[in-house]
Structures are given as structure tokens and as C-alpha cells.
Amino acid sequence: MEKIIIIFNGTAGNSNNEEIAKRAKNYLEKHGKIATLSKTNSEQDAINQAAQAVDIYDYLVTIGGDGSINTVCAGFLKANKTIPLGIIPGGTVNNFARALKIPLNTDKAIENLLTGTPKNVDLGHIDRQPIISSLTLGRLADISRNVKQTEKKKFGRIVYLFKGIKELFTNRSYKLKITANGKTETLRAQILLITTTNSVGGYVEFNPQAAYDDDYLHVFLLKKFTLPKILTYGSFFLSGNLKQARGVKYFKTKEVKIENLSSRDIKTRIDGDPAMALPITVQTIPDFLKVVMPDK
């Protein structure tokens, strides 16, 4: 009989996770699986549990958004191996789940744990710090940094729009040295975005040519982030053609080194959460994950 561990955040403010975990356990056991519930009390605890699970269980299920999935993947990287990963989305944006077409409805996501199929998925990383969906720096990261968790829960994704309008009144740019595909270039940009799938911010048509298993990082640099440019970028963004807009530099690569040539520190955000400052080297591990996805 297959053994499945369901890891969920057991800290205050996430009480519904335990109820969802119990529903998933009951569903799996009704269908002949052995399911174990495991609360986590910190990010490090979740990482450790995921790392230990790969030698004990056949599947791991996580409940939450991109941050929770990222934490599990950190455990997989720590163990340097994986087991199939089931996802029950529970975040605000759920960008990774949307890109993989995992149901956002809780009951359907639980059903997908059995009806879906584990499929290979690439994983980005910086020195074994996983990137499941995106890395941002520059003004896009500044916008996210100004969004409080309480605001995300109350207003949802639209809060980023309001914060972005406020950010328009600054004119901050960043001088970067970028090395990728055997070339080094120095340039100024206001936004840098790296994605591992076709989705950004929950919009799954952002980059139709990208795929979760294409082995590449997709890098976008936006030189200007003014109101007129936002209107232009918006139309290209919605049509899935941002890479073709004037003022946008795009390339794909399996590794990119980004160095800071500005006088102030430049910090990144990974999968929506604060992360390290430059310099960084981002790499991709092809097909490292096996994520349970719908067959259709």
C-alpha cells in the first residue's frame, strides 16, 4: 500500500489547513492509501520534514501557496532526491498551481491526488534555494515588498495594482551586469523577472512559449516602468507577447549570473517572498520534481 504524508502549516492563522488535511487523509484512506498528517511549526521544520519524507513515503502532499511549495522543494533539494508531490492550493495567487493546471477548488485538488499523474517539472535554484515559479528584483520586487500579508488576504491580487501605481511616482533604476549563454552585458533596468513556467501572478498566458518542463529559465528585463509604458506593457502582457514590446529585453537560458553595479543593495524576491541580495547565480535543474497533475 502506498504511504502518503500530508504536510501542513500548523501555526496560528492557518487553522483551516488542518481541516483540509483531515479531509484529504479521509479521502486517500477510503481509496486504500496509508495517509499520515504532519503539522509544521516553522519553515525549517517543514524543510526538515520534507527532506526526511523522501526515504519513508511514496508521496508527499502540501497545502498552501507558492511559498509552501517552495519550502517543500527546499527539503527535496536538501535530500537531493524527490518523491511525487501533490498540491492542494491554499495561497492568494497560487501561480505554480495555475501553471500546472492543478484545480484551485479544494475538493477537486484532493481528488487530483489520486486521479492525476506525476509529471516531470523543472526546478530553478540559487545555491540550493529553490525557485518554483519566479524571481523578481527592481521595482517589481519593491511593489511586492510593500504589500502586507494582511492586505493580500483582504484584497487579493488587485492589491499589487494599487501598490504599483504608487511605485510609479519613483524613478528608480538598477545597473546590472548579466552573464548568460556565454555573453556578459552591462545595462540599466527597472525590473528584472525570471520565470520557470508560462505563468506570472496567476496569469497563465504570460509566456505561451514557456513550459514547466522545457529546461529553461525565462528572463525579462524592463528598462522603463512609467505609466505610458505600463499601458503598453499591459497590452503585450495580456496577449502573451511581452517579449516583443519595445524596452523589453528577453532571453532564455539554463544559467544566469546577475551582479549589482549600483551603489545600493538590490534584494530579490523568490516566489513572492523576500530573498537574498545580489550577486546571484540562477540555475535550472531539469525534471527534478514530479508533480501530480490532471491528465487533461
Side-chain angles (χ1 to χ4, degrees):
M1 295 177 67
E2 288 181 325
K3 296 188 296 182
I4 301 172
I5 183 170
I6 303 170
I7 293 178
F8 64 96
N9 189 336
T11 60
N14 295 278
S15 57
N16 66 317
N17 283 351
E18 184 165 6
E19 186 271 329
I20 293 171
K22 288 178 178 178
R23 285 161 58 187
K25 173 180 169 68
N26 290 337
Y27 178 81
L28 293 169
E29 289 181 340
K30 285 180 180 178
H31 290 81
K33 311 298 181 182
I34 299 174
T36 300
L37 300 184
S38 184
K39 285 185 181 181
T40 63
N41 53 42
S42 68
E43 180 180 0
Q44 190 58 52
D45 182 31
I47 291 172
N48 292 338
Q49 288 199 35
Q52 295 164 6
V54 299
D55 292 320
I56 303 171
Y57 296 93
D58 299 299
Y59 281 73
L60 185 150
V61 174
T62 184
I63 302 169
D66 291 345
S68 297
I69 301 167
N70 182 293
T71 300
V72 167
C73 291
F76 288 164
L77 285 173
K78 181 179 179 180
N80 202 33
K81 61 191 290 189
T82 66
I83 52 178
L85 174 63
I87 297 170
I88 302 175
T92 304
V93 179
N94 297 306
N95 190 63
F96 190 66
R98 290 176 188 270
L100 275 54
K101 299 183 179 179
I102 294 170
L104 301 184
N105 175 275
T106 298
D107 290 333
K108 291 182 179 179
I110 291 173
E111 291 176 7
N112 178 65
L113 299 176
L114 292 184
T115 61
T117 302
K119 299 178 184 178
N120 291 335
V121 176
D122 304 331
L123 182 67
H125 77 101
I126 301 171
D127 293 330
R128 312 302 281 180
Q129 163 67 53
I131 304 170
I132 64 162
S133 180
S134 66
L135 176 145
T136 60
L137 63 85
R139 295 177 73 183
L140 199 61
D142 295 339
I143 291 169
S144 297
R145 192 176 298 114
N146 291 330
V147 176
K148 299 177 182 178
Q149 190 67 26
T150 54
E151 293 175 323
K152 286 172 61 176
K153 290 182 178 180
K154 184 175 181 180
F155 300 108
R157 287 182 288 170
I158 198 170
V159 71
Y160 291 99
L161 174 61
F162 292 116
K163 297 290 183 176
I165 291 173
K166 181 179 179 181
E167 183 67 23
L168 287 174
F169 291 97
T170 70
N171 190 31
R172 192 179 303 117
S173 65
Y174 305 84
K175 189 176 182 181
L176 306 171
K177 180 180 178 182
I178 298 177
T179 303
N181 298 322
K183 299 179 181 179
T184 298
E185 183 177 2
T186 299
L187 50 80
R188 297 195 74 92
Q190 293 192 331
I191 291 175
L192 182 144
L193 167 67
I194 300 176
T195 68
T196 59
T197 70
N198 64 326
S199 179
V200 168
Y203 184 67
V204 296
E205 297 299 330
F206 167 73
N207 186 9
Q209 288 74 42
Y212 56 78
D213 59 351
D214 63 7
D215 299 354
Y216 283 101
L217 302 166
H218 299 266
V219 185
F220 295 81
L221 292 108
L222 283 66
K223 298 178 181 179
K224 293 288 185 180
F225 193 63
T226 60
L227 183 56
K229 278 294 182 183
I230 281 186
L231 297 175
T232 300
Y233 291 154
S235 62
F236 280 90
F237 179 92
L238 293 173
S239 64
N241 294 304
L242 181 61
K243 62 171 70 78
Q244 298 175 11
R246 288 188 62 184
V248 175
K249 179 180 178 63
Y250 164 80
F251 61 90
K252 63 181 183 178
T253 182
K254 295 184 178 181
E255 178 176 321
V256 57
K257 182 177 182 181
I258 307 169
E259 299 173 81
N260 178 14
L261 300 182
S262 296
S263 58
R264 59 185 176 273
D265 286 345
I266 303 176
K267 294 183 178 180
T268 63
R269 290 184 73 88
I270 293 176
D271 298 325
D273 292 326
M276 69 285 291
L278 299 186
I280 57 172
T281 298
V282 188
Q283 299 172 302
T284 183
I285 309 176
D287 300 338
F288 180 74
L289 298 175
K290 291 186 182 297
V291 182
V292 181
M293 288 184 263
D295 290 323
K296 294 183 180 179

